[in-house]
Amino acid sequence: MNLLRKNPNHLSGQALMSLALARTGGTHSAMTLGQKVLNTAGALKNPHVLQCLPMTFRLLGHAQEEAAVYTGAQEFFPNDKAICAKLFMVAASNGMYKEQHQAAVSLLRLTKDDKYMWWVVVSLVLLTKFSKEDEKTRQLQLALAERMAEKSLEQGRLTTTEELRIYLKVLDIQSKHADMLAVLSSDGPLAEKISNDPDLVTQRISLLLKTDTNDKAVEAAVRALNAKDNWADYKLCAEATIGQIAEGESEGELLITSFCETVQKWAQIRGRARGAELAL
């Protein structure tokens, strides 16, 4: 206060004052002063302003203004990765999907880091889900996200199950179940990671059901249950068996008997009786 009495236009003082007011209950005054600083030409070149103003707006619950600080700062620091990352986090935390996508694209442009490529893909998925774009635009965004993820897989840069799940989500939104199944059934470097991930194993069995390959779904479920007990796989195995009966491939009684005998075998293994009994 003493500083601002002597120099009312001192930007660092104004930014610090707005933060102090926000922390001590002076919300209206903090907001008024913070917006004044934000709208002052060249203010966002000041490191104190850039540090204090986002904190002020965050404390006051004004995400749009917080994001505006980082967006405005990019004009003065276009190659600053930290500013881009902070803008991405603010946007992602507050449903600002367009700003989130723009920040992710900037980070990818600045760093060429694969991590940020996946930030772009996730941002595109969120844009298609929550933005008010027309259907044609949404389909173009999904197609771009799919191509980016597909290219990463083709070039051997898709290396984690987390990245794989993002790719599968992009395909799932478009109901491309056959493509999802092809990815989960491939013999590439991810094959071992997929086989050791119970959720991905279950997802593959479910996709076999969705693509009407019940016999393969039963085989995959039995293979999975031989390795590890998983209630979801019991249910899918039963559904696939019922699907086989509906297709008329074999006598229903024989299929049910075979299923029950297999489940009883699992029930005899210590620690697996409960799941097997429920399945029966």
Side-chain angles (χ1 to χ4, degrees):
M1 288 176 69
N2 289 334
L3 171 65
L4 292 176
R5 285 194 194 100
K6 296 176 182 178
N7 188 349
N9 296 319
H10 194 291
L11 284 173
S12 295
Q14 289 178 339
L16 288 160
M17 184 64 176
S18 68
L19 179 57
L21 287 166
R23 284 177 166 171
T24 53
T27 54
H28 179 73
S29 298
M31 190 66 191
T32 302
L33 185 54
Q35 286 178 322
K36 178 185 175 182
V37 176
L38 179 60
N39 295 326
T40 301
L44 297 177
K45 289 191 291 186
N46 184 308
H48 294 133
V49 172
L50 200 51
Q51 182 179 14
C52 295
L53 218 52
M55 296 170 66
T56 298
F57 292 134
R58 194 178 312 133
L59 285 168
L60 298 174
H62 285 264
Q64 291 286 348
E65 284 76 7
E66 185 182 356
V69 174
Y70 295 125
T71 302
Q74 287 180 314
E75 296 179 18
F76 304 106
F77 308 103
N79 297 320
D80 193 308
K81 293 179 287 186
I83 290 174
C84 287
K86 288 175 182 177
L87 175 57
F88 179 91
M89 293 304 175
V90 172
S93 301
N94 293 280
M96 300 159 63
Y97 303 112
K98 186 176 180 180
E99 291 84 352
Q100 178 183 351
H101 175 247
Q102 290 170 343
V105 170
S106 295
L107 282 164
L108 180 59
R109 175 180 57 81
L110 289 170
T111 66
K112 312 300 182 188
D113 188 331
D114 276 351
K115 175 176 74 173
Y116 298 120
M117 187 276 290
W118 291 106
W119 286 26
V120 173
V121 172
V122 169
S123 299
L124 286 167
V125 170
L126 291 171
L127 269 175
T128 61
K129 186 173 182 179
F130 295 109
S131 69
K132 296 179 181 179
E133 302 284 359
D134 58 80
E135 185 61 24
K136 184 178 180 180
T137 301
R138 291 176 68 254
Q139 291 304 319
L140 285 172
Q141 290 168 339
L142 280 174
L144 176 58
E146 180 183 348
R147 182 57 194 138
M148 292 176 75
E150 183 182 38
K151 188 176 179 181
S152 180
L153 179 64
E154 290 171 352
Q155 296 178 347
R157 295 183 290 110
L158 194 162
T159 57
T160 70
T161 54
E162 289 80 7
E163 294 166 350
L164 178 61
R165 282 180 167 84
I166 296 171
Y167 183 23
L168 292 172
K169 183 64 177 177
V170 173
L171 294 172
D172 192 30
I173 292 171
Q174 302 174 87
S175 298
K176 293 188 174 182
H177 299 139
D179 291 341
M180 293 173 69
L181 185 57
V183 171
L184 286 171
S185 303
S186 63
D187 296 325
L190 280 173
E192 184 177 353
K193 291 182 179 180
I194 293 171
S195 64
N196 291 328
D197 188 311
D199 292 335
L200 291 176
V201 170
T202 298
Q203 187 173 16
R204 181 175 178 274
I205 300 167
S206 179
L207 287 165
L208 287 167
L209 272 172
K210 287 180 180 178
T211 53
D212 297 321
T213 47
N214 292 298
D215 54 339
K216 291 183 179 179
V218 169
E219 290 175 11
V222 169
R223 190 162 55 248
L225 287 165
N226 276 331
K228 189 173 183 179
D229 202 49
N230 188 337
W231 172 240
D233 295 343
Y234 280 118
K235 292 198 293 182
L236 290 171
C237 189
E239 287 178 34
T241 301
I242 294 167
Q244 284 182 306
I245 295 169
E247 290 170 353
E249 293 180 2
S250 305
E251 289 186 25
E253 193 172 328
L254 287 174
L255 286 170
I256 293 171
T257 300
S258 174
F259 173 77
C260 291
E261 287 176 351
T262 304
V263 175
Q264 284 172 337
K265 179 187 72 176
W266 291 323
Q268 294 170 4
I269 301 173
R270 184 184 297 274
R272 297 181 60 167
R274 183 172 181 273
E277 290 299 328
L278 286 171
L280 282 171

